[in-house]
Amino acid sequence: MPEETTNGTQAQTTLDICVAAGCLSCQGDLVKEALEKEIDARGLAERVAVRGVGCLGLCMAGPLLRVSPDGILYQAMVPEDAGEIVESIGKKPVKRLECDAEQSFFTRQVKIVLENSGEVDPDKLDDYTAVGGYDALAKAVGEMEPSEVISEMVTSGLRGRGGGGYPSGLKWGTVAKADGARKYVICNADEGDPGAFMDRSVLESDPFRVLEGMAIAGYAVGADSGYVYCRAEYPLAVKRLKNAIRQAERAGFLGSNICGSSFRFTVDIRLGAGAFVCGEETALISSIEGNRGSPRPRPPFPAASGLWDCPTLINNVETFANVAPIIRNGGEWFSGIGTEKSKGTKVFALAGRVQNTGLIEVPMGTVLRDIIFDIGGGIPDGRKFKAVQTGGPSGGCIPEQFLDMAVTYESLAQAGSIMGSGGMIVMDETSCMVDVARYFMEFCMTESCGKCVPCRVGTMQMHELLEKITQGRASMKDLDLLEELCEVVRFSSLCGLGQTSPNPVLSTLRYFRDEYLAHIRDHVCPAGVCKMKSPSKIHAEVA
Ligand SMILES: Cc1cc2nc3c(=O)[nH]c(=O)nc-3n(C[C@H](O)[C@H](O)[C@H](O)COP(=O)(O)O)c2cc1C
Ligand code: SF4
Ligand code: SF4
Ligand code: FES
């Protein structure tokens, strides 16, 4: 899209520079300023424009810059490179800074949720509407009955992207049918899984899209107000969201008489203090109500009795980001992507020991090997793949034997993990799987809200046992006890945090039991990660 220059003319060349948090954290803002200065200094302001855009995906190579229409991509720039880049416009590209835009990382992705990321300025409503933004909302409120919107969602087969994978159309239908003078829509932007940053990036790169999804949801279920519950550690996402709400209100996409109809919908932001458990839907609702964010038993589910006891639709950021394209293109279109039971695409945060770390979006059913080795570029330093951890603390580790598995909700569950919100941490032979389990247990122990005993005490006990194993102080009896505790905590905890906390332990025990045994029987950490206590010290303790 040609950008306007500072003089209001159409630019011949646009320098699209990533202004999402990843690139800003490595001087992206200074590079942007330097580019603007160089353009001014060379008198090119009438021909060349600089535009801030959302995440371009390959965050590890940031700051990233795309030159349009030439299609040149630059990576890892510093402000001092600005002169050379501006000088090269219309001439030969700066070879030393070039990033291959034709590599599989870019060409193998299919973008629905992230289609505007890196394409639009997240601070400008005009940019969003220029690529069809708010067409879906106008279509919904102008041409469709609420029930038709819900049918379209059901047809799409979209499942919640926040972790549970519950069918979104079904949830919308339940809220629409529920009795209540008032209803609410909540966007869950709490995202607390270690290694995950999908929701943050969507909010930073395309905030209007999330608001459009929420407004369509409000129309479908009969709600006139909504909240985005976002963790305070995401200040840039919150800032962009606030700005987007203000602009959407001014343009009639939020507030009263939306798109000229009688539909009214407002959105407010609520900040979370960063407790992992506040992402659990009942805890989140309690937090918005001004109470301590701890879960309550379900039923009643929020769809029947949620915020201030009113029927409440709660969906994840990525789930809402899928809504506008579904309404624009139809549910059939969406259900044609992915597999039979896992429709559409999924955004993953690729992290850990993989060449290309960053955000990717692929159709459901993409083979794990393609994600890690083709898109992800494989394992660096010639090392060997060992496992991939999916689903965060609620998930598990998937070993090499599953590399040819198509990634779906079902296949991941079968392999002993979950899709979760989309964190993917790749591990090589330098990772100790017992230590990985210990790390996630420490996370659950620290984040347990303490409301119920099995989780509060159980995660602590399990962590202690794992610590004992990693220090070479444990016996086989400890391992039996650990396995027993996994079952108790899994079945008797009140909420998902406790219920799923044993998953990383169970999956590593399933596939890497020999590593546990090496720690216990031989006092050896095969990966060389765990610091073992000396055998004499262990004897002294046992005695
Ligand atoms: C401990 C815990 C933390 C959670 N954290 C999040 C979160 O950060 N974001 C999210 O969308 N869902 C989170 N969930 C899932 C939500 O409770 C809920 O299922 C989800 O927001 C529903 O939206 P969806 O149907 O679009 O996935 C969490 C669940 C548990 C048990
Ligand atoms: S654990 Fe005890 S001290 Fe802490 S909040 Fe609950 S009742 Fe109060
Ligand atoms: S399972 Fe854990 S986090 Fe959930 S309510 Fe119980 S103590 Fe709190
Ligand atoms: S944050 Fe810049 S490419 Fe992802």
Side-chain angles (χ1 to χ4, degrees):
M1 200 179 14
E3 179 72 358
E4 268 192 9
T5 64
T6 42
N7 301 336
T9 54
Q10 291 287 307
Q12 288 166 10
T13 304
T14 304
L15 305 180
D16 287 329
I17 181 158
C18 172
V19 288
C23 287
L24 288 184
S25 69
C26 40
Q27 296 196 316
D29 48 346
L30 299 184
V31 176
K32 185 166 178 270
E33 274 173 31
L35 286 168
E36 283 161 347
K37 266 196 202 138
E38 291 292 340
I39 288 166
D40 272 345
R42 286 171 163 74
L44 294 171
E46 296 205 350
R47 290 204 294 116
V48 184
V50 179
R51 183 171 67 149
V53 292
C55 177
L56 285 144
L58 195 56
C59 310
M60 47 80 72
L64 282 185
L65 166 77
R66 191 187 42 224
V67 184
S68 302
D70 310 14
I72 302 161
L73 197 62
Y74 290 125
Q75 63 182 351
M77 296 164 304
V78 290
E80 292 71 35
D81 295 326
E84 209 178 338
I85 290 171
V86 173
E87 190 59 46
S88 76
I89 293 172
K91 302 176 197 150
K92 273 193 184 154
V94 185
K95 266 270 165 289
R96 106 195 130 75
L97 296 173
E98 245 188 313
C99 173
D100 180 10
E102 294 305 314
Q103 60 180 300
S104 304
F105 181 87
F106 296 108
T107 56
R108 294 240 14 213
Q109 295 193 46
V110 173
K111 296 197 175 183
I112 297 175
V113 171
L114 302 177
E115 66 185 339
N116 296 332
S117 280
E119 300 294 328
V120 301
D121 182 335
D123 282 323
K124 287 194 186 147
L125 174 64
D126 285 351
D127 260 33
Y128 183 64
T129 51
V131 292
Y134 288 114
D135 286 358
L137 177 62
K139 178 177 171 185
V141 301
E143 301 167 25
M144 297 167 84
E145 291 297 322
S147 60
E148 288 175 290
V149 175
I150 292 173
S151 296
E152 216 56 70
M153 291 297 289
V154 172
T155 306
S156 75
L158 175 68
R159 294 169 64 175
R161 303 297 197 232
Y166 190 79
S168 306
L170 202 58
K171 200 190 266 186
W172 288 31
T174 311
V175 180
K177 278 190 229 119
D179 282 333
R182 275 207 94 167
K183 292 178 186 177
Y184 293 97
V185 170
I186 296 176
C187 173
N188 189 341
D190 200 51
E191 193 169 60
D193 289 25
F197 54 96
M198 297 80 49
D199 294 349
R200 189 195 76 197
S201 188
V202 169
L203 289 168
E204 284 172 0
S205 304
D206 198 11
F208 293 106
R209 168 70 82 87
V210 180
L211 296 174
E212 183 173 8
M214 288 178 73
I216 294 171
Y219 176 70
V221 304
D224 66 2
S225 62
Y227 291 95
V228 181
Y229 186 86
C230 188
R231 54 179 45 222
E233 287 108 318
Y234 286 180
L236 185 62
V238 172
K239 186 172 149 230
R240 298 237 162 105
L241 204 49
K242 274 187 184 159
N243 173 56
I245 292 173
R246 215 173 27 241
Q247 290 192 36
E249 277 172 351
R250 261 193 233 130
F253 296 122
L254 284 179
S256 306
N257 305 116
I258 290 177
C259 300
S261 74
S262 57
F263 173 55
R264 185 192 134 73
F265 190 74
T266 55
V267 175
D268 264 321
I269 300 173
R270 287 290 176 271
L271 295 186
F276 179 59
V277 76
C278 283
E280 195 280 339
E281 53 191 23
T282 60
L284 187 154
I285 286 169
S286 171
S287 173
I288 296 184
E289 287 170 346
N291 303 314
R292 189 166 169 219
S294 54
R296 62 157 174 78
R298 299 171 308 167
F301 287 91
S305 176
L307 191 59
W308 293 298
D309 301 326
C310 299
T312 301
L313 174 74
I314 174 158
N315 274 135
N316 164 263
V317 170
E318 190 182 330
T319 311
F320 279 124
N322 271 299
V323 172
I326 289 175
I327 299 304
R328 208 182 324 127
N329 304 324
E332 286 285 353
W333 161 80
F334 189 83
S335 74
I337 303 160
T339 68
E340 199 192 331
K341 288 188 184 150
S342 299
K343 304 290 190 193
T345 56
K346 180 77 195 87
V347 180
F348 291 106
L350 258 188
R353 308 245 192 243
V354 63
Q355 199 76 44
N356 302 328
T357 54
L359 268 201
I360 61 156
E361 183 174 357
V362 289
M364 292 276 193
T366 301
V367 172
L368 206 43
R369 189 186 294 280
D370 289 348
I371 295 178
I372 295 166
F373 287 89
D374 199 11
I375 299 173
I379 318 296
D381 306 325
R383 294 220 167 91
K384 214 170 141 316
F385 170 85
K386 187 170 192 178
V388 56
Q389 210 280 348
T390 72
S394 313
C397 295
I398 300 170
E400 198 181 359
Q401 72 210 61
F402 290 101
L403 270 178
D404 290 310
M405 178 180 86
V407 176
T408 64
Y409 287 100
E410 298 76 30
S411 65
L412 285 171
Q414 234 171 16
S417 188
I418 57 164
M419 178 84 70
S421 58
M424 251 193 200
I425 304 171
V426 180
M427 291 173 270
D428 66 15
E429 69 245 36
T430 60
S431 300
C432 165
M433 304 315 280
V434 189
D435 188 57
V436 168
R438 187 201 56 75
Y439 167 80
F440 282 107
M441 191 55 73
E442 184 175 7
F443 179 84
C444 289
M445 173 184 77
T446 320
E447 294 292 331
S448 166
C449 81
K451 181 168 176 166
C452 57
V453 178
C455 169
R456 185 178 70 223
V457 182
T459 51
M460 211 177 91
Q461 297 278 324
M462 287 192 288
H463 178 256
E464 204 166 300
L465 287 167
L466 288 161
E467 193 125 281
K468 245 174 131 177
I469 299 174
T470 53
Q471 290 173 356
R473 294 190 291 119
S475 65
M476 287 305 287
K477 260 198 181 147
D478 289 322
L479 189 61
D480 292 344
L481 186 58
L482 178 65
E483 292 192 271
E484 205 178 305
L485 270 171
C486 283
E487 293 311 302
V488 173
V489 174
R490 181 144 78 135
F491 289 111
S492 54
S493 291
L494 172 61
C495 87
L497 192 155
Q499 286 160 7
T500 61
S501 64
N503 286 354
V505 183
L506 290 168
S507 75
T508 46
L509 271 169
R510 184 162 154 191
Y511 300 119
F512 300 96
R513 203 178 182 88
D514 52 335
E515 288 197 26
Y516 280 83
L517 297 182
H519 284 76
I520 295 169
R521 290 192 178 146
D522 310 328
H523 310 297
V524 164
C525 173
V529 172
C530 305
K531 305 249 175 309
M532 296 287 157
K533 287 201 167 178
S534 71
S536 58
K537 205 160 176 205
I538 296 165
H539 279 135
E541 274 178 25
V542 173

